[in-house]
Amino acid sequence: MKVYLPTGAATGASLVFSTTRTRFAESDRLTLERLVPHLAQLRRNTLARRTYPALIDSTAAARMRLLRLSPRERVVLTRAAAGETNAAIAAALFVSPGTVRKHLEHIYDKLGVRTRTEAAAIYTQERVVIQSRAGHPERADTPRTSRLRPGESERN
């Protein structure tokens, strides 16, 4: 008897069972029917364990590229990845839309990408892994407002 295990991908796996009898009993078939979902899940878990280190490696590379960004560029990227338009980002940061566009150009150069979507994907990929490790949302790149008194600098 041959049992096929779908994995949701282009490839699957199959198990071949043989018996010393002339054929399988109905109880054998029922047992295999009950086992197939569990065997399929076991296969999916195995494949996930193989691909997780590759995800971590690619995320480490993404993190290194994100570290090249200035703090202001990180804020712009965070807002762009959240789906804000250049005009909305400019209004929130009290700069012109042209300045936001220039920040995005610098971000693209530093990340080695050509589009806003690619930059947002790199940002999102790293956020997803950080959140899955921590078990809760990371807030490191959340834009903050500074509450400095007149004449006081950020270094004080």
Side-chain angles (χ1 to χ4, degrees), residues 29-89:
R29 291 181 201 284
L30 290 173
T31 302
L32 281 176
E33 281 182 22
R34 289 184 185 141
L35 280 177
V36 165
H38 300 286
L39 293 171
Q41 184 62 48
L42 182 66
R43 177 153 164 76
R44 284 191 297 271
N45 291 348
T46 301
L47 292 173
R49 278 193 295 276
R50 287 183 193 156
T51 57
Y52 187 73
L55 174 64
I56 294 300
D57 290 344
S58 68
T59 303
R63 184 176 301 119
M64 293 307 293
R65 288 188 281 175
L66 287 170
L67 289 175
R68 297 178 194 157
L69 302 179
S70 70
R72 188 60 144 192
E73 289 168 344
R74 279 190 222 117
V75 170
V76 169
L77 179 58
T78 300
R79 291 180 173 276
E84 292 185 26
T85 64
N86 287 5
I89 297 169

Side-chain angles (χ1 to χ4, degrees), residues 112-144:
V113 298
R114 289 190 269 168
T115 66
R116 183 186 202 106
T117 304
E118 289 174 310
I122 288 173
Y123 172 81
T124 303
Q125 177 185 14
E126 194 217 344
R127 293 291 108 199
V128 167
V129 170
I130 285 176
Q131 289 172 6
S132 69
R133 282 183 175 173
H136 54 75
E138 178 77 15
R139 298 184 146 214
D141 287 330
T142 303
R144 295 180 288 174

Side-chain angles (χ1 to χ4, degrees), residues 72 92-94 142-150 152-156:
R72 188 60 144 192
L93 301 179
F94 304 104
T142 303
R144 295 180 288 174
T145 56
S146 178
R147 295 183 183 238
L148 298 177
R149 295 185 187 123
E152 187 177 76
S153 70
E154 286 185 327
R155 293 184 182 175
N156 288 348

